[in-house]
Amino acid sequence: MSWVKSVSVVSEDVFEEDGSDIILQNKEWNNNMSKRVKDGYRDGVDAGKDASLQRGFNVGYREGVEKMVAVGQLKGILSALQCWCQLQHPGSPAFSSISHLLQDVSRHEDRVIERMKMNVGQQPPASVGEITEAVEDLQMEHSDTGCGGGGCSKDNCCRKEQTPEEGPTALQTPCQSTTHPTFSAEESVEPLLKRCMDLVVELGLPEELLHNLQQLRSL
Amino acid sequence: MNSETGSEDPFDCIFMADNRYHCEAYKEGLAEGTRQGLLEGMSHGRMHGARFSTEMSFYYGFACAWKCLLQNNTDAKSRKRLRTLEALAVHIQAFPHNDPQHATLQQEVEKVRAKFRQVCSMMNVPADFREYVTVAAGVSF
């Protein structure tokens, strides 16, 4: 808060008197201004959070949905195959092959979810593009409202437009310093899809199933 | 403080300083709050989206696989099952999955769950897949 330090200099220029009263007044002035700065900062943080939480949630939600589509469908397909196998060919070796693969898919799913849980409360990975887009939208909203909401009484005092790069630049910092664990190779669903396709071929199951699994690869 | 213009009454600087400091700090806080809000929101949104998608995609994959397995059966029972499976698949795709603020999201999800239970009952399979997949604790359907 560099501007707080300038207060004492300014007040010396204005009150050209000496004596202990000045020192006391300076102290009081500094305390008051410091309190105003703290209040302003806190109000700003609250307002910023209120305005951006939902938008951030929506962006993250989309990301989470996309991430789990393939593994979720694969698990559904294998569960159906397992049920079918149990009903049609009870006790066949195919049942245990399907069960093993299903367990591996479930473990994979659990790992991905666990990793996401660990990221909650930490600085999560995020795509710069999505955050930039979200911030640009927010800036448009803020330029309409200013710091309003009871914070400022003087017209236009907070309505100066932020420089376009101000928000995104601030937001890029955590992204640059964070790796992207949600997209690491070990979490790839591809080997599991491959195993499932091999199994479908081995069991002589309908061609359409292979087609469905093939589509999951592109998700 | 009005260094940009330098022409205003210096006492204005004092009288307005209160406001000025508050607003400068507010702007700084706003940027930080926006950053924090986005990151926190994204973390939580990601979890919720993942859970939702895991469940809906499971149902969809389940319905599609059964459709493939039964497609060549011509008996009345299988035809009826196929129609129910088709209805489940269509219903899952009938609403947007990536919009957590969709007006009827909760109702749609409940409908899909009910349809899935109906499908399971028709197929004579248990609807609770935790019995099948013991390691899938924590992901409950």
Side-chain angles (χ1 to χ4, degrees), chain A residues 115-164:
Chain A
R115 194 159 298 192
M116 282 186 188
K117 269 187 201 162
M118 286 193 303
N119 278 331
V120 173
Q122 297 174 8
Q123 288 185 337
S127 92
V128 173
E130 278 174 334
I131 289 194
T132 307
E133 192 185 312
V135 171
E136 277 168 3
D137 290 348
L138 282 169
Q139 281 178 336
M140 284 173 71
E141 286 166 20
H142 286 314
S143 66
D144 291 339
T145 56
C147 74
C152 295
S153 52
K154 186 174 167 65
D155 286 346
N156 296 328
C157 85
C158 288
R159 289 175 186 250
K160 284 177 202 164
E161 283 189 356
Q162 290 177 311
T163 53

Side-chain angles (χ1 to χ4, degrees), chain B residues 16 18 38 45 49 67 69 72 80 87 91 93 95-97 102 106 112 117 120 122-123 126 130 132 134:
Chain B
M16 301 317 296
D18 193 70
L38 277 174
K67 268 168 61 187
L69 293 167
N72 294 326
K80 197 178 170 197
H91 204 99
Q93 290 192 304
F95 62 97
H97 288 195
H102 182 66
Q106 202 50 47
V112 167
R117 281 194 292 272
C120 287
M122 282 183 94
M123 302 291 173
R130 278 169 296 183
Y132 274 79
T134 50

Side-chain angles (χ1 to χ4, degrees), chain B residues 20-72:
Chain B
R20 168 111 189 222
Y21 287 135
H22 183 272
C23 287
E24 293 283 349
Y26 183 94
K27 275 196 276 186
E28 198 172 301
L30 190 68
E32 175 58 20
T34 302
R35 193 189 71 88
Q36 284 178 17
L38 277 174
L39 293 179
E40 269 178 41
M42 282 175 81
S43 281
H44 289 282
R46 205 176 280 120
M47 277 304 296
H48 284 263
R51 286 204 176 107
F52 168 84
S53 182
T54 299
E55 184 180 354
M56 290 299 124
S57 303
F58 175 89
Y59 298 151
Y60 189 74
F62 187 84
C64 288
W66 266 114
K67 268 168 61 187
C68 293
L69 293 167
L70 295 178
Q71 64 183 347
N72 294 326

Side-chain angles (χ1 to χ4, degrees), chain A residues 7 12 26-27 36 43 49-50 87 103 107 140 155 160 170 180 184 189 191 198-199 211:
Chain A
V7 172
E12 273 169 21
N26 275 353
K27 215 171 177 179
R36 290 295 287 158
D43 291 347
K49 268 195 173 184
D50 283 351
L87 293 170
Q103 285 184 356
R107 280 194 205 100
M140 284 173 71
D155 286 346
K160 284 177 202 164
H180 283 225
S184 64
V189 77
D198 290 347
L199 202 57
H211 182 65

Side-chain angles (χ1 to χ4, degrees), chain A:
Chain A
M1 311 275 171
S2 55
W3 60 83
V4 180
K5 290 171 191 163
S6 68
V7 172
S8 57
V9 179
V10 172
S11 55
E12 273 169 21
D13 290 339
V14 177
F15 302 107
E16 289 183 349
E17 292 176 29
D18 51 7
S20 56
D21 278 0
I22 297 292
I23 297 165
L24 278 173
Q25 279 171 356
N26 275 353
K27 215 171 177 179
E28 194 185 334
W29 167 269
N30 279 337
N31 282 342
N32 284 340
M33 290 306 113
S34 172
K35 188 174 178 303
R36 290 295 287 158
V37 165
K38 278 179 194 158
D39 289 349
Y41 187 80
R42 196 189 52 234
D43 291 347
V45 168
D46 289 347
K49 268 195 173 184
D50 283 351
S52 61
L53 263 172
Q54 183 63 53
R55 192 173 296 273
F57 185 91
N58 291 357
V59 170
Y61 192 90
R62 281 196 292 273
E63 218 177 280
V65 165
E66 281 168 26
K67 186 150 185 62
M68 300 310 286
V69 169
V71 68
Q73 284 197 33
L74 180 59
K75 197 176 159 191
I77 289 170
L78 282 164
S79 295
L81 292 184
Q82 194 186 43
C83 295
W84 174 81
C85 203
Q86 199 177 40
L87 293 170
Q88 302 292 322
H89 312 285
S92 77
F95 180 81
S96 69
S97 302
I98 295 169
S99 295
H100 278 133
L101 182 51
L102 183 53
Q103 285 184 356
D104 288 347
V105 171
S106 295
R107 280 194 205 100
H108 171 87
E109 186 184 87
D110 289 348
R111 272 200 304 273
V112 177
I113 296 275
E114 274 307 311
R115 194 159 298 192
M116 282 186 188
K117 269 187 201 162
M118 286 193 303
N119 278 331
V120 173
Q122 297 174 8
Q123 288 185 337
S127 92
V128 173
E130 278 174 334
I131 289 194
T132 307
E133 192 185 312
V135 171
E136 277 168 3
D137 290 348
L138 282 169
Q139 281 178 336
M140 284 173 71
E141 286 166 20
H142 286 314
S143 66
D144 291 339
T145 56
C147 74
C152 295
S153 52
K154 186 174 167 65
D155 286 346
N156 296 328
C157 85
C158 288
R159 289 175 186 250
K160 284 177 202 164
E161 283 189 356
Q162 290 177 311
T163 53
E165 64 277 4
E166 188 177 334
T169 305
L171 283 163
Q172 279 168 17
T173 317
C175 306
Q176 287 163 347
S177 62
T178 316
T179 54
H180 283 225
T182 51
F183 295 99
S184 64
E186 65 175 294
E187 283 182 15
S188 172
V189 77
E190 176 61 31
L192 297 167
L193 278 171
K194 174 81 174 58
R195 278 172 63 192
C196 189
M197 289 172 87
D198 290 347
L199 202 57
V200 167
V201 173
E202 194 184 309
L203 298 174
L205 296 172
E207 193 79 11
E208 283 77 6
L209 259 178
L210 279 180
H211 182 65
N212 281 354
L213 290 164
Q214 194 71 47
Q215 280 182 329
L216 293 183
R217 282 181 149 166
S218 55
L219 291 177

